Amino acid sequence: MQLHPYLIIALLSFITTTITSVVGFADKVALIAVLSLFIDIKTAIVITAIYSLVLYSLRILFFHEHLNKRLAFKMTLFLIPGIVIGLVIFGSIKSRMLILIFSIFLLLFVVYQLFLEQKIKFKFNELGLGIGIFLFGVIEASIGAAGPLLGAILLHYGKTKERFIVFAAVI
């Protein structure tokens, strides 16, 4: 790649991050959606993963005192197998199918947010949180943008804003 595409990626990252800072979430979802208009979705997912590594490292740095290290370690034990399974799926699926799966995931999340979130009320214990984190790992590694799922899981688990931010960044 030449310098020009890097500038476009940086500009798109800045724009989607600015928009999602107002909305409060979905920076990776927006970035993947926008980047996939210009490049293959698999490449967009990898670029977004690198972007996330930098962004979430900063969040951990700023909110590290709010991190429950014991819980984060336990949830990492659920996360790792989910990521491995998700990476196998990512490596074996074609880009066109990945676009379809990504689109269906977004549609289901929007339907949940608009119509079902207020009707479905539940609380997780640590095992339920672990299962949710496992599913997050599968979806995150395969389509690259399961942040909305993680947000829903952590909100139902009862995380405060600062603990939510740092825990989500670690996971």
Side-chain angles (χ1 to χ4, degrees):
M1 281 176 101
Q2 300 170 348
L3 182 60
H4 179 64
Y6 290 122
L7 291 175
I8 291 172
I9 290 169
L11 179 63
L12 292 173
S13 300
F14 176 75
I15 291 169
T16 57
T17 301
T18 302
I19 291 168
T20 56
S21 65
V22 172
V23 175
F25 68 95
D27 51 342
K28 287 177 55 181
V29 172
L31 187 56
I32 289 171
V34 171
L35 284 177
S36 66
L37 295 173
F38 302 100
I39 57 178
D40 180 63
I41 191 165
K42 285 191 169 190
T43 306
I45 289 171
V46 171
I47 289 170
T48 304
I50 295 166
Y51 154 86
S52 297
L53 183 64
V54 173
L55 182 67
Y56 297 155
S57 295
L58 291 172
R59 288 179 184 173
I60 293 168
L61 180 68
F62 289 128
F63 295 107
H64 66 89
E65 67 273 358
H66 297 282
L67 180 63
N68 180 338
K69 293 177 182 137
R70 182 193 65 78
L71 183 62
F73 176 75
K74 287 170 77 174
M75 292 306 110
T76 302
L77 298 177
F78 286 94
L79 179 66
I80 291 172
I83 288 175
V84 169
I85 292 169
L87 287 173
V88 169
I89 293 169
F90 179 78
S92 63
I93 199 165
K94 297 195 181 304
S95 292
R96 299 213 12 100
M97 181 59 75
L98 195 57
I99 291 170
L100 179 65
I101 293 169
F102 183 75
S103 301
I104 291 170
F105 173 74
L106 291 179
L107 180 64
L108 291 174
F109 181 73
V110 168
V111 167
Y112 170 77
Q113 287 287 341
L114 290 176
F115 304 111
L116 301 174
E117 185 176 29
Q118 299 302 322
K119 295 177 184 173
I120 301 173
K121 296 290 183 190
F122 50 90
K123 282 286 208 180
F124 292 126
N125 58 16
E126 281 191 13
L127 178 61
L129 180 62
I131 292 168
I133 297 295
F134 171 80
L135 293 173
F136 164 79
V138 171
I139 295 170
E140 182 68 25
S142 59
I143 67 169
L149 174 65
L150 182 63
I153 291 168
L154 293 180
L155 287 175
H156 287 295
Y157 188 69
K159 290 280 184 197
T160 62
K161 179 183 176 184
E162 292 80 10
R163 288 186 176 180
F164 176 95
I165 292 169
V166 72
F167 191 82
V170 166
I171 296 300

